[in-house]
Amino acid sequence: MRRLLPSFRLAVLVAAALFGAVPEGRAGGDPVVVGVVLPMSGDNATFGEESWNGIKIAEAEIAKKDPSVAFKLILADEQSKREQVGPATKTLIENNRAAIVVGSVASSNTMQAAIVCKEAGVPILTPASTNDKLTSEVEKYGEDVFRVCFQDSFQGTMLGRFATKTLKAKKAVALVDKGQAYSVGLAAQFEKEFVALGGTVVTEYYTSADKDYTTLVQKVGGLKPEVILISGYYPQAGPMIKLGKDAWKGVPVIGGDGLDSPDLLPLAGETDIKVYFTSHFVASDTDPLVQGFVTKYQEAYAGADPGAMAALGYDAMYAVYEAAKKAMAANGGATPTGKQLAAALRGLEFTGVTGKIVIGPDRTPRKAVVIVQAAGNFQFVEKILPE
Ligand code: PHE
């Protein structure tokens, strides 16, 4: 026993260093175990890093201001690999006894996590997965999938309107990653709106496994579009923009939140192409709530600006906290179970750094979309509220 003590103390110290203070003398009993599954390595690593950074800021803040509820966060890396998500989620639930799972980012990966959560009867809250099916296909993903982000039927519609009304485009080429539910779904929603407004869309497919996009980029240029939608993620979008330097000259590129990464511009390189994307948050937004978070993030992470993923991670942690408080109030202060957290998430309302969040009956908030221009840095263009 004595020999175990130092390592136990070390573990607590490490936990305290990683997750903020470990509160002492709480009234609520055991901590709420939050299993976090994110892409901390692999292709989409900036998504995981940024969300985790946001979650940690929120967790430290909560630990400081409210000793009545404590959280134990356990992070599992799904490595940006779909086949890793199920096992990682299972471990969080079975070994770590997570009451709720927070994650993941890419919609196809979150779908894998949701299937495991459904079987185990544990709720899942995704900070960032926007595919509509996650919350609409209840048979497959269960009743207890929640999100703090908008969904692609909204994001895609706004992209369609932006392309038509602001960019005045009538002819679009959509580049679709056929292996990603997010990419397929977002492009379909864009097309629906763009066509309804009088435009035409030609779709070209790619996958993230393709080694070289030169032929594809040339082909797209040859179709003479007035706008190019890259409905995918930054590790592919960045290199495509770079390759399009000549072939896409003068044609604006648009995309969804999958382009929102600090790695997008370094991958795209110097370019004259105008790049716009829809997102949840942009650090250049002058909204005081946004600026407050930007300052906190810069202080915590060596002056770095937070991207949308960081803001959504922060809001997701706050959603768990608000739900835990609500559940504790309804259950005599006892540490909430997963089921109680799920009940509390229904109808939850709070103001996050990505806007006002009201989790409605479809477990998806109605929120503003931000249009961002990626030119040297991420510039705020406009914020559009849902009708
Ligand atoms: N919305 C994307 C998806 O569902 C994930 C994402 C969100 C990426 C926010 C970046 C920023 O796959």
Side-chain angles (χ1 to χ4, degrees), residues 185-209:
L186 180 67
Q189 297 292 345
F190 165 80
E191 179 165 352
K192 201 166 142 197
E193 184 69 7
F194 194 72
V195 169
L197 295 172
T200 56
V201 182
V202 176
T203 303
E204 294 290 335
Y205 293 94
Y206 68 93
T207 77
S208 55

Side-chain angles (χ1 to χ4, degrees), residues 136 138 146 181 221 231 271 313 317 330 332 338 359:
S136 67
V138 172
F146 299 86
S231 185
T271 181
M317 186 62 220
I359 301 182

Side-chain angles (χ1 to χ4, degrees), residues 106-189:
S107 289
S108 293
N109 290 18
T110 303
M111 285 167 174
Q112 299 305 311
I115 291 168
V116 171
C117 286
K118 176 177 177 261
E119 265 168 37
V122 167
I124 175 165
L125 171 70
T126 174
S129 293
T130 45
N131 189 276
D132 290 41
K133 289 182 180 168
L134 258 171
T135 46
S136 67
E137 294 195 349
V138 172
E139 291 278 296
K140 217 164 161 182
Y141 307 116
E143 302 269 2
D144 290 341
V145 184
F146 299 86
R147 54 181 142 213
V148 289
C149 54
F150 50 65
Q151 58 188 6
D152 289 330
S153 43
F154 177 59
Q155 176 169 218
T157 303
M158 294 306 140
L159 273 174
R161 285 187 198 164
F162 179 74
T164 313
K165 297 189 174 152
T166 306
L167 302 177
K168 312 270 179 240
K170 285 263 169 255
K171 197 178 161 192
V173 171
L175 283 159
V176 176
D177 180 341
K178 57 180 176 232
Q180 294 289 349
Y182 161 71
S183 182
V184 174
L186 180 67
Q189 297 292 345

